[in-house]
Amino acid sequence: MKPDSGNLMRKRLLIIEFSSLAILLASMAWFGNRQNSGEPLSAGWLLIPALASLALFLSFIGLMYLRWVAAANAERLTRHRIVFALLTLTLLGVWLYAVGNTWVSLNAA
């Protein structure tokens, strides 16, 4: 990877990360205001924070890849990729578990 393309990718991932964080925080504040007003919340609206948090996780993982795996020495690259893959699967599994539990608890209520 050329240094310029790495910087460009890093900038794009940072923009995605902070935009997703802003959307996530704004949607949480909006949900809090709607709950205080007593209006029922449609489960479909939860797609906004779910997708924003997924984009936040994916951009964080991408930045971590650029910093950790792409910069690794050739002799340690395989080890870094294996550990990174396990960490990625763990983070996405936790995200999927949290979103799934939220969806189930809303449908049970």
Side-chain angles (χ1 to χ4, degrees), residues 31 43 46 49-50 95-109:
F31 289 157
L46 289 178
W95 178 85
L96 191 61
Y97 179 78
V99 169
N101 273 346
T102 301
W103 195 266
V104 167
S105 69
L106 281 176
N107 288 332

Side-chain angles (χ1 to χ4, degrees), residues 1 11 15 21 30 33 35 37 45 50 60 62 68 71 75 88 92 95 97 101-102:
M1 182 183 299
K11 285 180 185 178
I15 289 169
L21 182 61
W30 184 68
N33 288 339
Q35 185 179 12
S37 68
W45 282 106
F60 174 75
W68 190 23
E75 62 268 359
T88 300
L92 292 177
W95 178 85
Y97 179 78
N101 273 346
T102 301

Side-chain angles (χ1 to χ4, degrees), residues 9-78:
M9 183 63 77
R10 186 171 282 117
K11 285 180 185 178
R12 288 179 182 169
L13 288 171
L14 282 170
I15 289 169
I16 292 169
E17 185 172 13
F18 284 104
S19 299
S20 299
L21 182 61
I23 292 169
L24 182 62
L25 292 175
S27 67
M28 292 171 70
W30 184 68
F31 289 157
N33 288 339
R34 284 190 53 121
Q35 185 179 12
N36 289 341
S37 68
E39 296 178 37
L41 181 65
S42 171
W45 282 106
L46 289 178
L47 287 175
I48 294 171
L51 293 176
S53 65
L54 179 61
L56 184 71
F57 263 171
L58 291 177
S59 62
F60 174 75
I61 290 168
L63 286 166
M64 201 168 46
Y65 180 85
L66 289 176
R67 185 168 294 236
W68 190 23
V69 178
N73 295 338
E75 62 268 359
R76 292 191 172 187
L77 188 59
T78 303

